[in-house]
Amino acid sequence: MSVRELLIARQPVFDRHLETAAYELRYGQPGGHAGAPSTQDAERFLDTILDLGLDQLVGARAAIVAFPPSFLSSSLPELVAFLPADRLMVLVELPDYLRSDVRDALRRLAHHGCQILLGLDLLETHPPSIDDVDAVRVRLPDPIVLQEQRIRLEALLAELLAPLASFRSGTLRVLVSDIRTYHEFVVCRDFGVDLFQGPFLFRPLIVRGYHRPVSDAALLLLSRLADPAIDFEEIERLLAQDVQLTYKLLKLVNSVWFARRSRIDSLRQALLVLGIRNVAAWVTVLVLAGIENKPVELVRTAVLRARLCELLAAATGSASRETAFLTGLLSVLDAALDRPLEAALAPLPLASEVVAALLEQRGPLGRLLQLVRAYESGDWPHLADLPLAASVVTEAYIDALAFTAEVLGALEQTS
């Protein structure tokens, strides 16, 4: 059995400036329990880490990983010498942390350079001492629960952080997860929280007096490029009007798409070799990357989704690669433009199947996008009917991670 006969996904963790500080790595089987991997899965996961190297999954950032308590207390301390321990943050929940065998294992892991992240439940009593952990993670309850119990988020955070105050004078950091809105992020940040996790970054920030984060010219260009009926001459004429964009486009495709092939020296050559749909997708990437005051992780997620959609469309034969790639890219357009997705897509004359996929998750593209979103969130229960072998999907995800790293590196060179 392949060491990748399991699913592996990553979830970004942000610092106070919305830079990606770490990734939580989640792993499991299709249809398995989310957040509860088996010992066998843990062994396969470590085999994959040893096979690939941690950089393939998280780049240069730290990796947050949870292990079954039995595996953590028995096997992991023996294997940690073969791992990049200084970049590994082991997540352990409070009930397991209170076990003497787990505490002993954690001390051995810390001796090798691992950091320890303690997961706390808001309703649980905090342990009297947490001097041997580097950070704690707490989950925000659902806003509906807070509303029903008439608890303000500020009061909840004050109550939560008070018992940790004596430890925070040292190096203890607090990570808050399940942050759903930008408002919740701001409240947590203002209370002194250090690290942040949740889907808030990928939701639009709707404010009065809407201000376009991109120019009318860029929106017009996206509108025309998204038109399935656009012809070769029009796209060449539109792009030729923006010398800087054309320069960035040529540099990007030469850095990523044709890194090992013949060089593309002109806009016409790019159109002839890549095709209109691919050029349109790469221009969309450049427009997304040019939006100010948005974290890089948003573009990184757009490219990752796009590539994974493309690869899975090819593997299943459910849609064209180019259309799937564009659908993945546009799935973050609401967060990029800070508009509801329907309003963000309205100016774009997209094919009906793309609109149906993005707005209603209908059709082959919609099912593909649902699969990709479930995968990236580590929602293993919703992947019980995965149309492909787990190893195929994981290989595609790892390919998409490498591709995304190349694209982001190329984008840095074009800026």
Side-chain angles (χ1 to χ4, degrees):
M1 183 177 287
S2 167
V3 296
R4 295 174 196 163
E5 195 64 44
L6 81 162
L7 306 176
I8 301 174
R10 70 184 193 187
Q11 291 284 296
V13 174
F14 305 101
D15 65 14
R16 296 171 58 81
H17 306 289
L18 291 180
E19 297 289 339
T20 307
Y23 287 104
E24 180 182 356
L25 295 179
R26 299 178 180 176
Y27 57 95
Q29 296 292 329
H33 295 292
S38 67
T39 295
Q40 189 177 36
D41 288 341
E43 292 171 348
R44 291 174 182 164
F45 172 74
L46 288 183
D47 284 344
T48 303
I49 295 295
L50 292 172
D51 179 32
L52 288 177
L54 200 57
D55 286 357
Q56 287 271 31
L57 296 175
V58 299
R61 295 168 181 84
I64 299 172
V65 189
F67 297 97
S70 58
F71 180 82
L72 192 156
S73 61
S74 60
S75 303
L76 188 59
E78 304 301 325
L79 296 172
V80 73
F82 302 99
L83 301 171
D86 59 325
R87 294 175 54 206
L88 193 63
M89 179 175 277
V90 177
L91 170 61
V92 58
E93 299 299 330
L94 181 59
D96 298 326
Y97 174 78
L98 296 177
R99 289 174 40 169
S100 59
D101 59 333
V102 170
R103 291 289 290 273
D104 179 63
L106 292 177
R107 282 190 286 270
R108 294 165 64 191
L109 292 172
H111 178 74
H112 282 280
C114 293
Q115 295 187 68
I116 308 302
L117 174 62
L118 174 61
L120 296 176
D121 189 293
L122 290 176
L123 302 179
E124 292 174 334
T125 303
H126 296 178
S129 173
I130 50 175
D131 288 327
D132 53 351
V133 306
D134 301 280
V136 297
R137 181 173 79 171
V138 292
R139 300 180 184 275
L140 285 188
D142 190 287
I144 297 176
V145 174
L146 293 180
Q147 195 171 31
E148 289 176 348
Q149 298 182 0
R150 297 183 179 179
I151 300 175
R152 294 179 68 246
L153 178 58
E154 291 84 350
L156 182 68
L157 286 170
E159 182 179 354
L160 162 71
L161 296 177
L164 304 175
S166 59
F167 301 105
R168 301 207 71 201
S169 59
T171 58
L172 182 74
R173 291 180 293 169
V174 174
L175 188 164
V176 173
S177 70
D178 292 12
I179 300 176
R180 298 166 183 84
T181 67
Y182 190 80
H183 169 72
E184 289 179 347
F185 160 72
V186 171
V187 172
C188 291
R189 183 192 62 190
D190 291 350
F191 262 84
V193 171
D194 306 287
L195 299 169
F196 312 84
Q197 188 177 14
F200 68 98
L201 180 65
F202 306 103
R203 292 176 178 169
L205 175 61
I206 309 298
V207 295
R208 291 184 179 179
Y210 169 66
H211 170 69
R212 293 186 189 276
V214 296
S215 67
D216 289 335
L219 288 176
L220 174 62
L221 179 59
L222 284 185
S223 172
R224 294 304 305 132
L225 292 177
D227 189 344
I230 194 171
D231 57 30
F232 187 98
E233 286 72 21
E234 182 181 359
I235 194 172
E236 185 178 26
R237 177 177 55 80
L238 283 171
L239 290 174
Q241 293 174 2
D242 192 327
V243 176
Q244 186 178 27
L245 181 62
T246 299
Y247 167 77
K248 289 183 176 182
L249 175 65
L250 294 177
K251 194 167 184 180
L252 180 62
V253 298
N254 277 307
S255 297
V256 180
W257 200 254
F258 291 94
R260 299 173 183 86
R261 310 177 200 179
S262 58
R263 182 175 176 79
I264 303 298
D265 295 315
S266 68
L267 179 57
R268 175 169 287 269
Q269 187 183 4
L271 286 165
L272 287 170
V273 176
L274 274 73
I276 292 176
R277 299 274 66 83
N278 277 325
V279 168
W282 286 113
V283 171
T284 303
V285 171
L286 287 168
V287 171
L288 289 174
I291 296 176
E292 296 182 353
N293 302 320
K294 287 292 180 178
V296 174
E297 192 65 37
L298 190 64
V299 180
R300 189 177 287 119
T301 297
V303 176
L304 180 59
R305 280 185 189 175
R307 179 63 168 175
L308 190 53
C309 282
E310 176 194 12
L311 294 175
L312 296 183
T316 59
S318 58
S320 76
R321 295 179 65 127
E322 294 86 356
T323 305
F325 189 90
L326 183 62
T327 301
L329 277 182
L330 296 178
S331 67
V332 305
L333 197 62
D334 53 345
L337 299 182
D338 285 329
R339 303 192 73 184
L341 188 56
E342 185 174 7
L345 295 175
L348 308 181
L350 296 163
S352 59
E353 62 265 28
V354 175
V355 176
L358 290 167
L359 295 183
E360 303 169 27
Q361 291 78 55
R362 285 196 294 110
L365 283 171
R367 289 190 290 274
L368 192 66
L369 191 57
Q370 281 184 315
L371 187 158
V372 167
R373 282 174 164 159
Y375 188 99
E376 73 179 13
S377 64
D379 189 359
W380 312 141
H382 281 80
L383 296 176
D385 299 323
L386 202 61
L388 298 166
S391 58
V392 173
V393 182
T394 302
E395 292 285 358
Y397 184 71
I398 291 169
D399 178 295
L401 289 175
F403 178 83
T404 302
E406 283 189 71
V407 171
L408 268 290
L411 287 173
E412 288 181 6
Q413 295 176 17
T414 64
S415 60

